[in-house]
């Protein structure tokens, strides 16, 4: 059981680091490169969320103290961030791939979605790190 938890935690951390790090980078660059990174980001987000759910079920089920409140805040922010990226970036990337001549509106939408998601993922990161000491 201990090895499974170690694997789940490692997958959770690696996926989350890629997802958050690439989101921060894309937010800073105004979304430049979103076409190449959107799918890998959504894959990493899915893996981070699923492994996080497994960890919650395995380690925190049945208790809801201060640490779980901090973790829940982080989880909710992560879920909102993935929804924003999926609904904001996904359609805009598809529009860009369609070869539309005016790409300013999709690029603006991508940049705004990544900036908002980056703030939420920063809150997620801080809350999950703080939960250890709550």
């Amino acid at each position: 059981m201990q090895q499974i938890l170690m694997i789940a935690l490692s997958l959770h951390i690696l996926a989350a680091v890629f997802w958050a790090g690439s989101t921060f980078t894309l937010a800073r660059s105004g979304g430049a490169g979103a076409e190449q990174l959107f799918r890998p980001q959504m894959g990493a987000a899915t893996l981070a969320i699923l492994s996080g759910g497994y960890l919650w079920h395995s380690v925190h089920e049945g208790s809801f103290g201060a640490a779980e409140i901090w973790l829940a805040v982080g989880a909710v922010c992560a879920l909102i961030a993935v929804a924003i990226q999926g609904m904001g970036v996904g359609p805009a990337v598809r529009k860009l791939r369609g070869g539309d001549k005016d790409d300013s509106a999709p690029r603006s939408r991508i940049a705004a979605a990544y900036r908002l998601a980056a703030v939420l993922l920063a809150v997620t990161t801080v809350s999950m790190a703080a939960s250890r000491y709550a």
Side-chain angles (χ1 to χ4, degrees), residues 66-92:
E68 287 78 20
I69 291 170
W70 281 94
L71 288 171
V73 167
V76 168
C77 287
L79 290 170
I80 295 169
V82 76
I84 288 169
Q85 285 178 306
M87 293 186 300
V89 177

Side-chain angles (χ1 to χ4, degrees), residues 22-107:
S22 60
T23 297
F24 298 153
T25 301
L26 288 165
R28 180 78 172 107
S29 71
E35 297 91 333
Q36 292 81 21
L37 284 173
F38 178 70
R39 284 190 179 141
Q41 279 189 306
M42 292 299 97
T46 300
L47 183 58
I49 290 168
L50 291 176
S51 59
Y54 173 78
L55 290 166
W56 181 284
H57 175 73
S58 298
V59 179
H60 298 280
E61 185 179 35
S63 63
F64 203 76
E68 287 78 20
I69 291 170
W70 281 94
L71 288 171
V73 167
V76 168
C77 287
L79 290 170
I80 295 169
V82 76
I84 288 169
Q85 285 178 306
M87 293 186 300
V89 177
V93 165
R94 281 190 293 280
K95 196 172 220 179
L96 288 174
R97 287 184 180 149
D100 199 9
K101 292 196 187 251
D102 182 22
D103 67 351
S104 61
R107 294 222 179 266

Side-chain angles (χ1 to χ4, degrees), residues 9-22:
L9 184 60
S10 297
L11 287 174
H12 182 68
I13 292 169
L14 289 171
V17 164
F18 172 76
W19 176 28
S22 60

